[in-house]
Each structure stands twice: as C-alpha cells, then as structure tokens.
Amino acid sequence: MKNIVILISGGGSNMAAIVKTAQQENWAQRHGARVAAVLSNKADAQGLVLARAQGIATEVLDHKPFESREAFDAALAAAIDRYEPALVVLAGFMRILSSGFVAHYAGRLVNIHPSLLPAFTGLHTHQRAIDAGCRFAGCTVHQVTAELDLGPIVDQAVVPVLPGDTADTLAARVLTQEHVMYPRAVRALLQTL
Ligand code: NHR
Ligand code: GAR
C-alpha cells in the first residue's frame, strides 16, 4: 500500500477533499494508496476532528517546546516515517521546513500554495494580490524544496479577482479551486511513485 501522510495546521479542508476523493474513487483498490495519517503542529486544528471521524490516525506535534526548527523537524520526520509514506502532503501546514527535512523527503513532498507562483511566495497572498491590482489569482501545487514556495510546479488553477474583493472573498474563491486541484494532483503524483 502507498501511504499518504498529510500535514495540517488548521481547517484541513484540503485534507478533507483528498480523503473524500480517495474514498469516492476507491484509491485503495485502483491505486493501492490510502491516507494513512494526518499530523498537525496545532492541537486545536479543526482538521483533526474531521480526520478522526473518518477513522484516520492523527497525531499532534506542537512545535513550541522544541529549542530549534531542526529539532522539531527531526521529531516530525520520525513521526511521519512510522507510516512509511510514499507521499507527504502539506495542506495548510504553517511551519517552514528545514533543508534536512526537505532532503529526507526529496521527490515525495508537495504543498499547495494560495497564489499563482512564483508570484506571492510566503504569507498573506490574497491581500498582496489585491494590493498589487492583479486581475487574476489562484493556487499552485508544487514540489517542496529548501527554497520556500519555489519548488517545481505540479499544477495551477486560476480565478478572477473581482471588484470589491477582500482577502476573505478572494481566499474563498481560490479555496474552492484548491479542493478540485489538490486531490487530482495527488492522484497523478501517486501514479508516478
Ligand atoms: N518548507 C520549505 N522548506 N519549502 C517550502 O516550499 C515550504 C515549506 C514549509 C511550508 C507552505 C508555505 C505556503 O504554502 C510551506 C512551503 C509557512 C510559512 C511561514 O512563514 C511560509 C510559507 C508556507 C508555510 N511560517 C512561519 C514560520 O516561522 C509561521 C507562521 C505561522 O505559524 O502562522 O515557519 O504558504
Ligand atoms: C489553503 O488556502 C492553503 O492553500 C493555504 O492555507 C489554506 C489552508 O486551508 N496554505 C498556506 O497558506 C500555507 N502557508 P485548509 O486548512 O482548509 O486546507
């Protein structure tokens, strides 16, 4: 079985979209793949509730008690590796990962980022796209490398920026596209692994 481990920090709607698609399309039978675990650095991440309700293993690893980023990343990698993952999926995971962590998962670590990369790497992408006067925004699935948000692009989706948009209304429009694109991208990646 190809195990997928998903890392979240918050709502987990992208994680839920992947889990739902995996069930609907019967990835276990058709692709020999399953979502084996959902890990969060936040104990109160809403996505954990959703994952538990689906019978998926969940773990919380709070980054705050660790004395360095590297120490947290080493503990996180140890937790992930217990599931022997074919693919590690960042879905609203909010901690920057050190180069050692990224190297350990080279070629099997992906992220979804809420902008049309390489525009607007980092945080607060929607407000920055509005402030820049962008007519279009969107989201990008990319391989994770040590360079933040600049790994090879796997797929993108575009949405219009509409008059009167706020960061929240634009984020909601982008998020609906994320939910379509990310399960599709994960399925395509699984077939290459
Ligand atoms: N790590 C590496 N090495 N490379 C990438 O491309 C990564 C990554 C870790 C996360 C997701 C990314 C996004 O899609 C991601 C891509 C968090 C931050 C951030 O500044 C930036 C980008 C992303 C995720 N995090 C702060 C930090 O100090 C904490 C912010 C918070 O807790 O709210 O880690 O946008
Ligand atoms: C998504 O829009 C995702 O692209 C973005 O956060 C949201 C998470 O939603 N990711 C980042 O900003 C990573 N820094 P979700 O938890 O409901 O999937």
Side-chain angles (χ1 to χ4, degrees), residues 14 90-92 110-114 139-142 149 177-179 181-182:
N14 277 292
L90 307 184
V110 292
N111 177 44
I112 190 158
H113 181 77
C139 47
T140 304
V141 175
H142 66 93
D149 293 330
Q177 292 308 305
E178 295 185 40
H179 297 162
M181 179 171 69
Y182 212 5

Side-chain angles (χ1 to χ4, degrees), residues 6 13 31 33 68 80 100 104 107 114 122 126 134 153 167 170 174 177 187:
I6 305 182
S13 68
H31 307 291
S68 69
I80 293 169
H104 180 68
H126 304 298
C134 294
I153 291 171
L170 179 56
V174 170
Q177 292 308 305
R187 187 184 55 220

Side-chain angles (χ1 to χ4, degrees), residues 114-190:
S115 78
L116 293 173
L117 291 172
F120 308 120
T121 61
L123 304 178
H124 313 297
T125 53
H126 304 298
Q127 190 60 52
R128 288 159 64 204
I130 290 169
D131 292 347
C134 294
R135 262 44 172 180
F136 295 93
C139 47
T140 304
V141 175
H142 66 93
Q143 301 269 2
V144 174
T145 62
E147 254 192 311
L148 185 68
D149 293 330
L150 291 176
I153 291 171
V154 175
D155 201 5
Q156 289 186 311
V158 179
V159 304
V161 180
L162 299 177
D165 259 344
T166 64
D168 284 349
T169 60
L170 179 56
R173 192 174 308 118
V174 170
L175 194 59
T176 62
Q177 292 308 305
E178 295 185 40
H179 297 162
V180 176
M181 179 171 69
Y182 212 5
R184 201 174 57 202
V186 167
R187 187 184 55 220
L189 286 165
L190 283 171

Side-chain angles (χ1 to χ4, degrees), residues 14-27 35 54 183:
N14 277 292
M15 176 276 296
I18 293 166
V19 168
K20 186 175 164 207
T21 302
Q23 284 167 353
Q24 284 176 346
E25 297 182 351
N26 198 0
W27 286 7
V35 178
Q54 298 293 322

